[in-house]
Amino acid sequence: MTGTLIYFFISIGLIVGAINGFVIGREGVSLKANVFWGVVGAVIMGYIGVIFGIGDGVFFSFIATWPFLFLINVFHRHHVEEVLGETHDAEIVYDHYSDKKRPKPVL
């Protein structure tokens, strides 16, 4: 791997991460995290492409970074309180065992 390839992998990661961050919005990880993981994923995927001889690795890096970021965003969990800063659909019920109020679980 040369410095030129690493530069192109980082550039691809920045572009793909930024596009993915703008498209996903507030549903997945933040824009900064998408850009960071885009760079990490592009370098890893590019390196894998170079090792297996899939072209020069740049095209494979571009194509494989999209599913990598998709997985990062899909498995990131948001709670309603984190996104909106308040509770929704939380009904307060009385807990007879501990004499405390607690939110009713939402199923």
Side-chain angles (χ1 to χ4, degrees), residues 94-100 102:
Y94 186 72
D95 187 359
H96 296 288
Y97 298 109
S98 65
D99 294 333
K100 294 182 182 177
R102 62 177 173 79

Side-chain angles (χ1 to χ4, degrees), residues 26 28 76-88:
R26 293 175 48 158
H76 175 74
R77 296 183 61 192
H78 275 297
H79 297 286
V80 174
E81 294 84 11
E82 290 177 18
V83 175
L84 300 175
E86 55 191 45
T87 59
H88 292 281

Side-chain angles (χ1 to χ4, degrees), residues 41-100:
V43 171
I44 291 171
M45 298 306 160
Y47 184 67
I48 290 171
V50 168
I51 287 177
F52 289 114
I54 304 171
D56 59 353
V58 176
F59 183 69
F60 183 76
S61 173
F62 177 75
I63 296 300
T65 302
W66 291 101
F68 180 79
L69 284 176
F70 174 77
L71 291 175
I72 296 287
N73 283 291
V74 164
F75 291 111
H76 175 74
R77 296 183 61 192
H78 275 297
H79 297 286
V80 174
E81 294 84 11
E82 290 177 18
V83 175
L84 300 175
E86 55 191 45
T87 59
H88 292 281
D89 299 324
E91 181 183 329
I92 303 297
V93 295
Y94 186 72
D95 187 359
H96 296 288
Y97 298 109
S98 65
D99 294 333
K100 294 182 182 177

Side-chain angles (χ1 to χ4, degrees), residues 13 35-45 68:
V35 170
F36 172 76
W37 286 112
V39 170
V40 170
V43 171
I44 291 171
M45 298 306 160
F68 180 79

